[in-house]
Amino acid sequence: SQTIHQWPATLVQPVGSPLSLECTVEGTSNPNLYWYRQAAGRGLQLLFYSVGIGQISSEVPQNLSASRPQDRQFILSSKKLLLSDSGFYLCAGQGENTEAFFGQGTRLTVV
Amino acid sequence: AQKITQTQPGMFVQEKEAVTLDCTYDTSDPSYGLFWYKQPSSGEMIFLIYQGSYDQQNATEGRYSLNFQKARKSANLVISASQLGDSAMYFCAMREGPYQLIWGAGTKLIIKP
């Protein structure tokens, strides 16, 4: 079955520090991959999606970037975190004609 | 314009009653898919049910069923015999094209004992 491993589960980082969140995919090849951010009690905001290695599309211009160095690896990064980057980050994958499957999420608090 | 609309930000339902969560969508693409996900307080997103635009019958998965009314562009989730563990956020989503996933704002469902 398709699974996503996402880590860490929680993270507290100071303003101005760098960020690297990673997720890896198992059980499928060449999935579409997504990074979402979710504010408390709100819906999902799509940040980035990738249809293949090295292919990244940004939905919202901001302080973050994404990379896909391998087919099953998707990384969310920032060089300098802002307070407004706090939130719940979800990595998701989707194969052809399948439902999206999610990682456990990372709760990021920027202090 | 909103492509996925969930008009109920929150709902309270008595345990064991049936629940209907509303979802309307907007697309001009004849091929699309509709999904429902549950998100408990832990944050994980749990896939519940899927309906394809060409599916002739409404999808069902255990206590979950999807009331798909194509002409009205609605895809309501029905939960029969609600349980305390059904308390969560519920999201409706639409796949439009090969990689576009469009999400509703969610409905917070609280089941009362």
Side-chain angles (χ1 to χ4, degrees), chain A residues 3 6 30 45 49-50 57 59-60 65 71 75 87-88 97 101 105 108 111:
Chain A
T3 56
Q6 182 183 343
N30 197 31
Q45 178 190 30
Y49 69 87
S50 170
S57 295
E59 289 293 303
V60 182
S65 62
D71 180 47
I75 300 170
F88 188 61
N97 295 323
F101 49 101
L108 171 66
V111 296

Side-chain angles (χ1 to χ4, degrees), chain B residues 24-99:
Chain B
T24 57
Y25 60 93
D26 184 25
T27 181
S28 57
D29 192 335
S31 178
Y32 53 90
L34 297 157
F35 304 83
W36 276 94
Y37 284 82
K38 172 184 178 181
Q39 187 180 39
S41 57
S42 59
E44 60 182 314
M45 293 288 278
I46 303 168
F47 166 71
L48 296 178
I49 198 166
Y50 168 78
Q51 181 85 42
S53 58
Y54 295 121
D55 293 344
Q56 295 295 315
Q57 294 188 327
N58 287 346
T60 60
E61 289 286 348
R63 293 187 301 113
Y64 304 108
S65 61
L66 201 152
N67 184 3
F68 182 45
Q69 298 188 41
K70 197 170 183 177
R72 293 186 175 185
K73 293 189 175 179
S74 75
N76 298 340
L77 176 70
V78 180
I79 306 174
S80 62
S82 59
Q83 303 170 356
L84 295 179
D86 294 332
S87 294
M89 284 287 288
Y90 288 81
F91 291 96
C92 179
M94 177 173 67
R95 184 181 64 229
E96 187 179 53
Y99 46 76

Side-chain angles (χ1 to χ4, degrees), chain A residues 25-96:
Chain A
V25 180
E26 290 182 3
T28 186
S29 297
N30 197 31
N32 297 328
L33 295 175
Y34 307 83
W35 276 111
Y36 290 96
R37 178 167 59 201
Q38 186 180 28
R42 306 291 295 275
L44 300 178
Q45 178 190 30
L46 178 62
L47 301 176
F48 301 94
Y49 69 87
S50 170
V51 299
I53 297 173
Q55 300 178 63
I56 307 294
S57 295
S58 174
E59 289 293 303
V60 182
Q62 57 201 306
N63 187 41
L64 303 169
S65 62
S67 61
R68 186 169 178 178
Q70 300 179 43
D71 180 47
R72 300 179 187 184
Q73 186 183 24
F74 203 26
I75 300 170
L76 182 69
S77 305
S78 174
K79 292 183 179 178
K80 289 186 178 182
L81 284 169
L82 306 172
L83 287 174
S84 57
D85 291 324
S86 293
F88 188 61
Y89 289 82
L90 282 160
C91 179
Q94 186 173 28
E96 188 174 352

